Amino acid sequence: MRFIYIIGFFIIVEIYAFQLIRVLAKGHWWKWVYLAVSILIFLNVVLQFYLSPDRTQVVPVRDFAVTLFLAFLAAKTVFLLIMFFEDVVRIVEGVISLSRKHNSTDLEGMSDTSSSFLPSRRSFIAKTGLALAALPFGAILYGAWKGKYNYQVREYELSFDDLPEEFNGYKISQISDIHVGSFDDKDEVAYAIDLVNKQQSDVILFTGDLVNNVARELYGWEDILGRLKAKDGVFSVLGNHDYGDYVNWVSQSEKRKNLEELFQIQKNMGWRLMMDEAHEIKRGTDSLHIVGVQNYGGGRFPKYGNLDKASASLSDSSFKVLMSHDPSHWELQVKDHPKKFHLTLSGHTHGMQFGVEIPGFFKWSPVSFVYKRWAGIYKELDQFLNVNRGFGFIGYSGRAGIWPEITVITLKRA
């Protein structure tokens, strides 16, 4: 169904784009070159997915085809938006002009109809649109070349009135959405894992989507991911991709076997997978609780998690750090839960791997139309939510403007 929507959107965009290009070309032959290139890029994407349907495997040719398609689509979308707004202005100008002509009808009841209803398109606007369209085109290509491994460490200091004294200054490193089946450069990933360890945090928390679809994606990556070390351990939860829900399994037993293998690999790497449960970390007489729930998301995403079960053994006043993959869970259940979860760590959105961020001033991504909270720190009712931008990538084999993230959060007593 998603492919039908994409094809439909592509056809609508292409029809409008070609009409604009045809007008701008003014009879020149290059409009047919443009149309041929656009169609070939689209057909190449369809062909590559037909030849390589297994998305659990890295296929460079297929990834490049997707990147090129997205780059052209993003460029055309920007160009069309600019030209669409100009068309709206032209229609308004045409209506005003037509109205004035009717009001100035001469005594014989005749009006001047020699000029066209719509004013002609402005060449300057079209050239500006083409120039601006080049920006997302170049950004997406750069994101596939360099951006996907442009790891950023984002540091936050969060204050709490009721943080236990012994945990003042406690450091948490969070990573999310590894999507190991998409990686094509072990050296870059190994560098990022070492970068996580260099933060020397007290605990490392991974908030889901270790794989794209199946456990075998982890083969050959266990040693690199198993390097993650922290004094209080490495904890993880499941994301929507980890369950194998997007695979056409021969049987349910095969699907369960895949999930069990994913559990075992994480255990072998020294990670503790949290399945609707809590873990107590002690410092002297003080305690901090790590709570991990299975995936629980809004819309079409699965709801496996049981927050009540995970927090059943905890008091309302105990200090809690919750790991929940999908940030929509915070809105659906977490922030109004009577147990009070002081800090929730999520991922899932990836920031759509494309957007614009000027730290402290501006932050935008197309995913903001879907998720109210999609990247960074949010606070409500004296509770914090951090949405990690993701460690890996999926679909588009790159990142443009929304870089892969390692979050370091220091807890402070207010």
Coordinates of all heavy atoms in Angstrom, one line a residue, residues 55-58 149 177-186 189 206 209-222 224-225 242 262 269 391-394:
R55 N 15.5 -6.7 2.2 CA 16.0 -5.4 2.8 C 16.9 -5.7 4.0 O 17.4 -4.7 4.6 CB 14.8 -4.6 3.2 CG 14.0 -4.1 1.9 CD 12.8 -3.3 2.3 NE 13.2 -2.0 3.0 CZ 12.4 -1.2 3.5 NH1 11.1 -1.4 3.5 NH2 12.9 0.0 4.1
T56 N 17.1 -6.9 4.4 CA 18.0 -7.2 5.5 C 19.4 -7.2 5.0 O 20.4 -7.3 5.9 CB 17.7 -8.6 6.1 OG1 17.9 -9.6 5.2 CG2 16.2 -8.6 6.6
Q57 N 19.7 -7.2 3.7 CA 21.0 -7.2 3.2 C 21.3 -5.8 2.5 O 20.5 -5.2 1.9 CB 21.1 -8.3 2.1 CG 20.8 -9.7 2.6 CD 21.8 -10.1 3.7 OE1 23.0 -9.9 3.6 NE2 21.3 -10.8 4.8
V58 N 22.6 -5.4 2.7 CA 23.0 -4.2 2.1 C 23.3 -4.4 0.6 O 24.1 -5.3 0.3 CB 24.3 -3.7 2.8 CG1 24.9 -2.4 2.1 CG2 24.1 -3.3 4.2
Y149 N 27.5 8.7 8.6 CA 28.5 8.3 9.7 C 29.0 9.6 10.4 O 30.1 9.5 11.0 CB 29.6 7.5 9.1 CG 29.1 6.1 8.6 CD1 29.4 5.7 7.3 CD2 28.5 5.2 9.4 CE1 29.0 4.5 6.8 CE2 28.0 4.0 8.9 CZ 28.3 3.6 7.6 OH 27.9 2.4 7.1
D177 N 18.1 2.9 17.6 CA 17.9 2.7 16.2 C 19.2 2.4 15.5 O 19.6 3.2 14.5 CB 17.2 3.9 15.6 CG 15.8 4.1 16.2 OD1 15.8 4.8 17.2 OD2 14.8 3.5 15.7
I178 N 19.9 1.3 15.8 CA 21.1 1.0 15.2 C 20.9 0.5 13.8 O 21.6 0.8 12.8 CB 21.9 -0.1 16.0 CG1 22.5 0.6 17.3 CG2 23.0 -0.8 15.2 CD1 23.2 -0.4 18.2
H179 N 19.8 -0.3 13.6 CA 19.5 -0.9 12.2 C 20.7 -1.4 11.5 O 21.1 -1.0 10.5 CB 18.9 0.2 11.4 CG 17.5 0.6 11.8 ND1 16.4 -0.2 11.6 CD2 17.0 1.7 12.5 CE1 15.3 0.4 12.1 NE2 15.7 1.6 12.6
V180 N 21.3 -2.4 12.2 CA 22.6 -2.9 11.8 C 22.6 -3.5 10.4 O 23.7 -3.4 9.7 CB 23.1 -4.0 12.8 CG1 22.2 -5.3 12.7 CG2 24.6 -4.3 12.6
G181 N 21.5 -3.9 9.9 CA 21.5 -4.5 8.5 C 21.7 -3.4 7.4 O 21.9 -3.8 6.3
S182 N 21.7 -2.2 7.8 CA 21.9 -1.1 6.8 C 23.4 -0.7 6.7 O 23.7 0.0 5.7 CB 21.1 0.1 7.2 OG 19.7 -0.2 7.2
F183 N 24.2 -1.1 7.7 CA 25.6 -0.6 7.7 C 26.4 -1.2 6.5 O 26.2 -2.4 6.2 CB 26.2 -0.9 9.0 CG 25.7 -0.1 10.2 CD1 25.5 -0.6 11.4 CD2 25.4 1.3 10.0 CE1 25.1 0.1 12.5 CE2 24.9 2.0 11.0 CZ 24.8 1.5 12.3
D184 N 27.3 -0.4 6.0 CA 28.2 -0.9 5.0 C 29.7 -0.6 5.3 O 30.5 -0.7 4.4 CB 27.8 -0.4 3.6 CG 27.8 1.2 3.6 OD1 28.2 1.8 4.6 OD2 27.3 1.7 2.6
D185 N 30.0 -0.1 6.5 CA 31.4 0.3 6.8 C 31.6 0.0 8.3 O 31.2 0.8 9.2 CB 31.6 1.8 6.6 CG 33.0 2.2 6.6 OD1 33.8 1.6 7.4 OD2 33.4 3.1 5.8
K186 N 32.3 -1.1 8.6 CA 32.5 -1.6 9.9 C 33.5 -0.6 10.7 O 33.4 -0.4 11.9 CB 33.1 -3.0 10.0 CG 32.0 -4.0 9.7 CD 32.6 -5.4 9.9 CE 31.5 -6.5 9.8 NZ 31.9 -7.8 10.1
V189 N 31.5 2.3 12.1 CA 30.6 1.9 13.2 C 31.5 1.6 14.4 O 31.1 2.0 15.6 CB 29.8 0.7 12.8 CG1 29.0 0.2 14.0 CG2 28.9 1.0 11.6
F206 N 20.2 1.4 25.4 CA 19.9 1.3 23.9 C 18.4 1.2 23.8 O 17.8 0.3 24.4 CB 20.6 0.1 23.3 CG 20.1 -0.1 21.9 CD1 20.4 0.8 20.9 CD2 19.3 -1.2 21.6 CE1 19.9 0.5 19.6 CE2 18.8 -1.5 20.3 CZ 19.2 -0.6 19.3
D209 N 15.2 -1.1 18.0 CA 15.5 -1.2 16.6 C 17.0 -1.5 16.4 O 17.8 -0.8 15.8 CB 15.1 0.0 15.8 CG 13.6 0.0 15.4 OD1 12.9 -1.0 15.8 OD2 13.2 0.9 14.8
L210 N 17.4 -2.7 16.9 CA 18.8 -3.2 16.7 C 19.0 -3.6 15.3 O 20.0 -3.5 14.7 CB 19.1 -4.3 17.7 CG 20.4 -5.0 17.7 CD1 21.6 -3.9 17.8 CD2 20.6 -6.0 18.8
V211 N 17.9 -4.2 14.7 CA 18.0 -4.8 13.3 C 16.9 -4.1 12.5 O 16.0 -3.4 13.0 CB 17.8 -6.3 13.3 CG1 19.0 -7.0 14.1 CG2 16.5 -6.7 13.9
N212 N 17.0 -4.4 11.2 CA 15.9 -3.9 10.3 C 14.7 -4.9 10.3 O 13.6 -4.5 10.4 CB 16.4 -3.8 8.8 CG 17.4 -2.7 8.6 OD1 17.4 -1.7 9.4 ND2 18.2 -2.8 7.6
N213 N 15.1 -6.2 10.3 CA 14.0 -7.2 10.3 C 14.3 -8.5 11.0 O 13.5 -9.1 11.7 CB 13.6 -7.5 8.8 CG 12.8 -6.4 8.2 OD1 11.7 -6.0 8.6 ND2 13.4 -5.8 7.2
V214 N 15.6 -9.0 10.8 CA 15.9 -10.4 11.3 C 17.2 -10.4 12.0 O 18.1 -9.5 11.8 CB 15.9 -11.4 10.1 CG1 14.6 -11.5 9.4 CG2 17.0 -10.9 9.1
A215 N 17.3 -11.4 12.9 CA 18.5 -11.5 13.8 C 19.8 -11.7 13.0 O 20.8 -11.3 13.5 CB 18.2 -12.6 14.8
R216 N 19.7 -12.4 11.9 CA 21.0 -12.7 11.2 C 21.7 -11.5 10.7 O 22.9 -11.6 10.3 CB 20.7 -13.7 10.0 CG 19.9 -13.1 8.9 CD 19.8 -14.1 7.7 NE 19.1 -13.6 6.6 CZ 17.8 -13.7 6.4 NH1 17.1 -14.3 7.4 NH2 17.2 -13.2 5.4
E217 N 21.0 -10.3 10.7 CA 21.7 -9.1 10.3 C 22.9 -8.8 11.3 O 23.9 -8.1 10.9 CB 20.8 -7.9 10.4 CG 19.6 -8.0 9.4 CD 18.6 -6.9 9.6 OE1 19.0 -5.8 10.0 OE2 17.4 -7.1 9.4
L218 N 22.8 -9.4 12.5 CA 23.9 -9.1 13.5 C 25.1 -10.0 13.3 O 26.1 -9.8 13.9 CB 23.3 -9.4 14.9 CG 22.4 -8.3 15.4 CD1 21.6 -8.8 16.6 CD2 23.2 -7.1 15.9
Y219 N 25.0 -11.0 12.4 CA 26.2 -11.9 12.2 C 27.4 -11.1 11.7 O 27.3 -10.3 10.7 CB 25.9 -12.9 11.1 CG 24.8 -13.9 11.5 CD1 24.4 -14.9 10.6 CD2 24.3 -14.0 12.8 CE1 23.4 -15.8 10.9 CE2 23.3 -14.9 13.1 CZ 22.8 -15.8 12.1 OH 21.8 -16.7 12.4
G220 N 28.5 -11.2 12.4 CA 29.7 -10.5 12.1 C 29.8 -9.1 12.8 O 30.9 -8.5 12.7
W221 N 28.8 -8.7 13.5 CA 28.8 -7.4 14.2 C 28.8 -7.6 15.7 O 28.9 -6.6 16.4 CB 27.5 -6.6 13.8 CG 27.5 -6.1 12.4 CD1 26.9 -6.7 11.3 CD2 28.1 -4.9 11.9 NE1 27.1 -6.0 10.2 CE2 27.8 -4.9 10.5 CE3 28.8 -3.9 12.5 CZ2 28.3 -3.8 9.7 CZ3 29.3 -2.8 11.7 CH2 29.0 -2.8 10.3
E222 N 28.8 -8.8 16.2 CA 28.7 -9.0 17.6 C 29.9 -8.5 18.4 O 29.8 -7.9 19.4 CB 28.6 -10.5 17.9 CG 27.3 -11.2 17.3 CD 27.6 -11.8 16.0 OE1 28.4 -11.3 15.2 OE2 27.1 -13.0 15.7
I224 N 31.9 -6.0 17.5 CA 31.9 -4.5 17.5 C 30.9 -4.0 18.5 O 31.2 -3.1 19.4 CB 31.7 -4.0 16.1 CG1 32.9 -4.3 15.2 CG2 31.5 -2.4 16.2 CD1 32.7 -3.9 13.8
L225 N 29.7 -4.4 18.4 CA 28.6 -3.9 19.3 C 28.9 -4.4 20.8 O 28.5 -3.7 21.7 CB 27.3 -4.4 18.8 CG 26.8 -3.8 17.4 CD1 25.5 -4.4 17.0 CD2 26.8 -2.3 17.4
D242 N 12.4 -4.9 15.6 CA 13.1 -6.1 16.2 C 12.2 -7.3 16.3 O 12.7 -8.4 16.4 CB 13.6 -5.7 17.6 CG 14.6 -4.7 17.6 OD1 15.5 -4.7 16.7 OD2 14.6 -3.8 18.5
L262 N 17.6 -13.3 18.5 CA 18.0 -11.9 18.8 C 18.2 -11.7 20.3 O 19.2 -11.0 20.7 CB 16.8 -11.0 18.3 CG 17.1 -9.5 18.4 CD1 18.1 -9.0 17.4 CD2 15.8 -8.7 18.2
M269 N 26.5 -10.5 23.8 CA 27.2 -9.2 23.7 C 27.3 -8.5 25.0 O 28.0 -7.5 25.1 CB 26.5 -8.3 22.7 CG 26.5 -8.7 21.2 SD 26.0 -7.5 20.0 CE 24.4 -7.0 20.7
F391 N 21.1 6.1 15.7 CA 22.5 5.8 15.5 C 22.7 5.3 14.0 O 23.8 5.6 13.5 CB 22.9 4.7 16.5 CG 24.4 4.3 16.5 CD1 25.2 4.9 17.4 CD2 24.9 3.3 15.6 CE1 26.6 4.6 17.4 CE2 26.2 2.9 15.7 CZ 27.1 3.6 16.6
G392 N 21.7 4.7 13.5 CA 21.9 4.1 12.1 C 20.9 4.8 11.2 O 20.5 5.9 11.3
F393 N 20.5 4.0 10.2 CA 19.6 4.5 9.1 C 18.9 3.4 8.4 O 19.3 2.2 8.5 CB 20.4 5.4 8.1 CG 21.7 4.7 7.7 CD1 21.7 3.8 6.6 CD2 22.9 4.9 8.3 CE1 22.9 3.2 6.2 CE2 24.1 4.3 8.0 CZ 24.1 3.4 6.9
I394 N 17.8 3.7 7.8 CA 17.0 2.7 7.1 C 16.2 3.4 6.0 O 15.9 4.5 6.1 CB 16.0 1.9 8.0 CG1 15.4 0.7 7.3 CG2 15.0 2.8 8.6 CD1 14.6 -0.2 8.2

